[in-house]
Amino acid sequence: MSKSKAGLGLGSPKGSKDAEQPVEVELYNVTLAESAEQRERDMTFGEALKADRRLIMYSIGFSGTIIMEGYGLALMTYLFSLNAFNSKYGVLQSDGQSYEVEYIWKVLLPLTAQIGSIIGIFVTTPCTKWFGYKWTTLIMLFFSAALVAMPFFAPNILILCVGFFLQGIPWGVFQVVSPAYASEVSTIQLRPILTTWNNLCWVIGQMLAAAAIKGFSVAFSTEWSFRIPFALQWVFTFLLSIGIWFAPESPYWYIQKGDIVRGRQAIVKLVRKGDPSMAEEKLALMQHTIQQEHIKDSDVTRLNKWERIKVMFRGSDARRTEIACIAWMIQAMCGSSIIAWGPKLFQTAGLSSDDALSVNMALPAAGMVGTLASWWLMAYMGRRSIYFWGLIAMALLLVGCGGASFAPGTTSGWAAGGVLTVYTLVYDLTVGPICYSIVSEVPSIRYRAVTLSAARGTYLGSNLVNHFLTPKMLSDGPDGWGLGARTGFVYAVLCVIGAVYTWFRIPETNGLSARSLDILFQHGASARQFNNVKAAQYEQMDREKGGRLTSTVSQNSVFSVHAVSSSKTQ
């Protein structure tokens, strides 16, 4: 039987005198880990669905926070169409009868929420490090519930703006925690579904916001037409808190802390019927994965906090960080921002306000269909291929959208509406959901939270650019550029640039375990060489080099590995 010392046992208590002394750590069964990895690869989707019902349920619970975020962000823009909201927070117009929220606040309200999300992203890493994914999410849900009171009771638009800014902080945390948790607890077969589910959660949140605004605006003509939709967030928070309270922490978090006992307990809650044999398999595989990462970083425990962050931008981890950041930037800059401004685009293309809103109703429906269809598509194509060809197809559709602007009369508006609907379908079939899968799978286990934080920060930074440029390109006024539907030409060029980057830099992660990805990144495999056969070749090369693995447990980390080894035969 093959076993390996990987620094995966319980270390000395923090603050003890011998915290930095070498200790004998728990052995794990390498053969069991490798057989578990192979079993995951050979498992069909149906078998995985049957065996992993628990982890599916818990992962979906964490992803529910994205529904709440999508609901809150969409609610902001939909509020501007309510007469009661405009009467409360707007100014009297020149006609002496109607009210309208000033343009500066229309910009600031969603903008401050985005800035709050960026702050939330930066606090995610220290929070998850100390509290784990579960308690970080619960704390932020409590924080979010308390903050809903600000927009609900806001006496003026300034308080409303501050409330949106503060609510953005937990939303930023949810953006990182949800895909990270899904990626860590899921098996190879379920990983693409559970990570891309986040994209569908966004669409669900937007549809719920649209339904709430529509329903309560019909039922009430008073301030309750927008206060009740705010209050519904308390219902979301309560339900999500119950679900996440019963969910286990990510076992990887416990194992990296050296707490094997709690790691095993978390795994038992994830596997079907708490099967002890399946739990031991998963535990061994997780230990083996973490060993593979740490045998390349023998001096990590000697680094302080900032030096550890710098490590994320060196060697193979620098490449992983770059791919995650650029992949999410591509998602933001591929023209997806036009979808949110659909009504404005249709109006500039020649449609009336009512017709523009009618056409706009098709966009979220197309998004939901596209996301659901992406799960079927991933069974036949890899992530890299879907991302590449999706960008090419979107570039062509955006050229078509721009070309529609040259059609006469209202034909231009209807043509642009039809093309943008198809574009939305293609976006949510390819780049929209697949991006979540790529950025969740590419980071290493030990830097997953901080890498996703950096990547999501890149995405939000890109969206801030869109926030100013997209309406400027669409607007005909003195402050606008008057491009209208021809804005599609600009984003078509960006799609082509994204496709070129995808071809040369984004690797195929489909069917690869976290350990196989570590091996391929550590050996600098090109984006077109990522597969299990290549990973096995590199692993065999490492085994032939041999060596003895020893480990030291420090008060900062239990993973300070001082020599390279694959296993110890016993």
Side-chain angles (χ1 to χ4, degrees):
M1 182 182 295
S2 178
K3 294 186 177 182
S4 176
K5 291 180 182 180
L8 300 172
L10 294 172
S12 301
K14 186 174 182 179
S16 64
K17 293 182 179 180
D18 60 344
E20 294 290 342
Q21 299 301 316
V23 297
E24 186 70 18
V25 295
E26 182 176 332
L27 299 174
Y28 70 88
N29 192 325
V30 176
T31 303
L32 183 64
E34 292 176 343
S35 64
E37 184 176 24
Q38 189 60 47
R39 187 175 65 83
E40 275 196 18
R41 289 173 181 164
D42 297 339
M43 188 182 294
T44 66
F45 177 76
E47 292 170 342
L49 197 64
K50 184 178 180 181
D52 297 317
R53 290 174 183 171
R54 289 188 178 189
L55 69 84
I56 294 171
M57 177 180 65
Y58 293 133
S59 179
I60 288 176
F62 274 84
S63 298
T65 58
I66 303 297
I67 296 178
M68 191 173 70
E69 180 201 359
Y71 176 90
L73 289 174
L75 199 61
M76 291 181 201
T77 55
Y78 295 155
L79 289 172
F80 300 132
S81 64
L82 290 181
N83 291 330
F85 183 83
N86 287 321
S87 297
K88 175 67 177 178
Y89 300 111
V91 295
L92 186 63
Q93 298 299 290
S94 57
D95 60 10
Q97 295 180 343
S98 62
Y99 288 82
E100 187 78 19
V101 174
E102 292 179 281
Y103 175 77
I104 184 63
W105 293 109
K106 289 183 179 180
V107 173
L108 285 178
L109 287 176
L111 178 63
T112 52
Q114 294 278 11
I115 295 173
S117 293
I118 292 174
I119 295 174
I121 284 170
F122 282 110
V123 305
T124 301
T125 299
C127 284
T128 54
K129 176 184 177 182
W130 290 105
F131 304 116
Y133 296 130
K134 175 180 176 177
W135 280 103
T136 295
T137 304
L138 288 172
I139 292 169
M140 289 300 163
L141 282 171
F142 176 81
F143 187 36
S144 180
L147 292 172
V148 171
M150 292 192 72
F152 182 80
F153 292 109
N156 55 62
I157 200 164
L158 178 60
I159 299 299
L160 188 68
C161 189
V162 173
F164 285 156
F165 166 73
L166 293 175
Q167 279 191 291
I169 296 175
W171 292 345
V173 175
F174 299 151
Q175 291 172 15
V176 176
V177 171
S178 178
Y181 184 87
S183 180
E184 290 192 8
V185 302
S186 59
T187 54
I188 293 174
Q189 298 294 335
L190 295 175
R191 197 171 61 203
I193 305 298
L194 295 180
T195 52
T196 56
W197 169 257
N198 290 280
N199 188 74
L200 185 59
C201 288
W202 263 90
V203 178
I204 293 173
Q206 291 170 345
M207 294 187 71
L208 289 175
I213 287 294
K214 181 68 175 176
F216 289 107
S217 66
V218 172
F220 301 96
S221 59
T222 63
E223 293 181 7
W224 289 110
S225 63
F226 62 87
R227 295 202 187 278
I228 293 178
F230 282 139
L232 289 178
Q233 294 177 85
W234 279 318
V235 178
F236 294 156
T237 304
F238 176 72
L239 295 176
L240 288 170
S241 297
I242 292 176
I244 294 173
W245 175 266
F246 290 103
E249 179 56 75
S250 168
Y252 276 114
W253 186 79
Y254 285 123
I255 296 172
Q256 291 188 97
K257 293 284 184 181
D259 195 340
I260 302 301
V261 174
R262 290 188 180 180
R264 183 183 286 108
Q265 291 171 350
I267 293 171
V268 168
K269 291 188 70 174
L270 290 170
V271 299
R272 186 187 181 196
K273 298 179 180 180
D275 188 333
S277 62
M278 289 182 65
E280 289 302 318
E281 280 189 2
K282 278 187 174 290
L283 177 61
L285 178 55
M286 288 180 175
Q287 290 174 306
H288 200 36
T289 299
I290 294 174
Q291 174 195 326
Q292 180 62 44
E293 292 189 358
H294 285 85
I295 60 177
K296 297 293 184 181
D297 295 300
S298 60
D299 295 323
V300 167
T301 56
R302 302 175 185 177
L303 304 178
N304 61 38
K305 179 178 67 176
W306 297 111
E307 288 172 333
R308 291 187 187 189
I309 292 177
K310 290 179 182 178
V311 170
M312 188 182 70
F313 297 97
R314 294 205 305 258
S316 62
D317 283 300
R319 181 184 175 193
R320 301 173 90 153
T321 303
E322 171 218 314
I323 292 170
C325 289
I326 302 300
W328 231 330
M329 180 188 290
I330 290 172
Q331 190 201 45
M333 302 300 291
C334 66
S336 56
S337 61
I338 297 180
I339 298 173
W341 291 91
K344 181 67 176 176
L345 185 146
F346 303 147
Q347 283 181 277
T348 58
L351 292 184
S352 66
S353 176
D354 289 341
D355 287 340
L357 289 173
S358 297
V359 175
N360 189 60
M361 292 292 291
L363 300 186
M368 180 169 286
V369 172
T371 302
L372 292 173
S374 71
W375 298 348
W376 169 83
L377 186 63
M378 283 188 288
Y380 298 95
M381 293 179 67
R383 324 273 200 273
R384 166 187 160 86
S385 299
I386 296 174
Y387 216 67
F388 174 79
W389 290 111
L391 287 166
I392 295 297
M394 287 158 57
L396 294 174
L397 287 167
L398 287 168
V399 170
C401 182
S405 64
F406 298 103
T410 58
T411 303
S412 171
W414 290 112
V419 173
L420 191 61
T421 301
V422 177
Y423 168 87
T424 304
L425 176 66
V426 174
Y427 168 79
D428 284 297
L429 176 67
T430 58
V431 174
I434 302 304
C435 181
Y436 282 97
S437 186
I438 292 173
V439 300
S440 300
E441 294 170 339
V442 164
S444 59
I445 297 297
R446 66 196 183 285
Y447 294 133
R448 177 159 283 149
V450 69
T451 301
L452 284 174
S453 296
R456 192 63 183 180
T458 304
Y459 169 85
L460 290 176
S462 302
N463 256 351
L464 289 179
V465 175
N466 284 328
H467 184 75
F468 287 102
L469 291 185
T470 303
K472 203 170 189 66
M473 286 189 285
L474 292 173
S475 297
D476 290 324
D479 295 329
W481 295 348
L483 293 180
R486 286 170 297 190
T487 302
F489 292 138
V490 177
Y491 284 111
V493 174
L494 294 177
C495 279
V496 172
I497 294 173
V500 172
Y501 177 86
T502 300
W503 179 261
F504 288 103
R505 297 295 291 171
I506 295 182
E508 180 55 68
T509 58
N510 184 32
L512 294 173
S513 67
R515 197 173 67 86
S516 295
L517 286 170
D518 288 335
I519 294 170
L520 290 164
F521 274 114
Q522 287 167 4
H523 284 271
S526 70
R528 297 177 295 283
Q529 290 182 320
F530 271 58
N531 55 65
N532 281 309
V533 173
K534 198 68 176 178
Q537 292 174 352
Y538 283 134
E539 186 173 25
Q540 183 60 34
M541 289 168 54
D542 288 340
R543 285 177 174 171
E544 290 172 358
K545 292 179 181 178
R548 176 178 175 78
L549 179 67
T550 59
S551 45
T552 298
V553 181
S554 71
Q555 65 180 24
N556 293 324
S557 172
V558 296
F559 300 114
S560 181
V561 183
H562 296 287
V564 177
S565 170
S566 59
S567 65
K568 177 181 177 181
T569 305
Q570 182 173 316

